[in-house]
Amino acid sequence: MTILVSVWGAAPGVGKSTLCAGLCALLAGEGLRVDHFREEEILTRPEFGEVAREFRGTGAVELRTLLEASARFAGAVRAAGDDVVVADALVPFVPTLLAMGHDDRAIAAFTGELGGLLSGLTPVLVYLDGSAGTALARAADREGPRWLDEYVGKLARYGVRPPVRDLASAVEYLRRERAVTLAAARRMGWPVIRVEGATELSPDDVLAIARHGLRPWAPQLR
């Protein structure tokens, strides 16, 4: 059965993409067949084609479209026969659901259905926990001086709750995003590997913690 390693984190800049690349190299080095699903590929992979079309047309995506795409994704993974898929910010779609204004009840119903559609896969959530403010500052250093204003503005336009007006309120909103993501994973019965204090750790330390946490599902990571 294919392991689906879904990597999320406290904020942009926390190190998700770095961890995903490290996990892919590590797992492949142990002889496993690994598919790296990068964050931007939700707009380019064939199974998410309808998601991309709706988003580009309206800036939003219907829940049914997300669910149907997830079923196609699971089918494609099973057909490929890979041992592991490392997915950067894919399922369970919580930031997308919050940005579209869905409340806790709607998110619970959605993720309940999503869990069934991923049957045949073994999902494990790896969550990089830490200071959202520190992570955002890192992302701004990497992306340039305008990035943070654009990120805060995007959240404000989405009308998320609690409302976002500035950096402090963006950090507050990200705490809610974190809580809803972890609650959704636990409700679906997904194991959760939390890397605490990820913003204070080196990439090698983060990778070592994730590697240790994944051993029950990938014993090759001795």
Side-chain angles (χ1 to χ4, degrees), residues 46-206:
E47 55 267 37
F48 287 94
E50 188 58 34
V51 171
R53 281 188 289 275
E54 282 190 16
F55 180 77
R56 288 169 177 148
T58 67
V61 181
E62 294 291 331
L63 296 186
R64 180 51 49 189
T65 304
L66 272 179
L67 290 170
E68 290 170 353
S70 299
R72 288 192 296 271
F73 165 70
V77 169
R78 291 192 295 267
D82 291 322
D83 299 302
V84 185
V85 178
V86 178
D88 185 349
L90 184 62
V91 289
F93 303 111
V94 165
T96 299
L97 300 175
L98 290 174
M100 293 191 297
H102 295 292
D103 61 16
D104 289 350
R105 180 177 296 182
I107 292 171
F110 173 89
T111 53
E113 192 166 350
L114 174 68
L117 294 173
L118 297 177
S119 61
L121 309 180
T122 301
V124 181
L125 183 77
V126 178
Y127 193 89
L128 302 189
D129 223 341
S131 165
T134 299
L136 289 174
R138 270 195 205 164
D141 286 343
R142 181 186 68 213
E143 301 295 338
R146 295 182 56 189
W147 179 87
L148 191 55
D149 286 343
E150 290 171 355
Y151 177 73
V152 170
K154 178 178 71 173
L155 293 179
R157 288 192 301 275
Y158 285 153
V160 295
R161 294 288 181 270
V164 172
R165 301 171 300 278
D166 51 22
L167 176 59
S169 55
V171 169
E172 185 64 26
Y173 162 72
L174 287 166
R175 292 193 187 102
R176 168 159 167 73
E177 190 177 279
R178 170 191 179 277
V180 177
T181 298
L182 293 174
R186 292 185 176 116
R187 187 167 50 245
M188 291 186 289
W190 294 6
V192 175
I193 301 166
R194 276 183 60 224
V195 181
E196 298 185 53
T199 46
E200 311 307 319
L201 299 173
S202 71
D204 286 346
D205 287 339
V206 170

Side-chain angles (χ1 to χ4, degrees), residues 17-59:
S17 297
T18 300
L19 174 60
C20 287
L23 282 174
C24 288
L26 186 65
L27 292 160
E30 296 295 342
L32 297 172
R33 293 182 57 188
V34 183
D35 177 13
H36 184 180
F37 194 113
R38 293 167 176 81
E39 186 170 3
E40 64 274 12
E41 288 188 70
I42 194 169
L43 296 178
T44 60
R45 288 222 183 179
E47 55 267 37
F48 287 94
E50 188 58 34
V51 171
R53 281 188 289 275
E54 282 190 16
F55 180 77
R56 288 169 177 148
T58 67

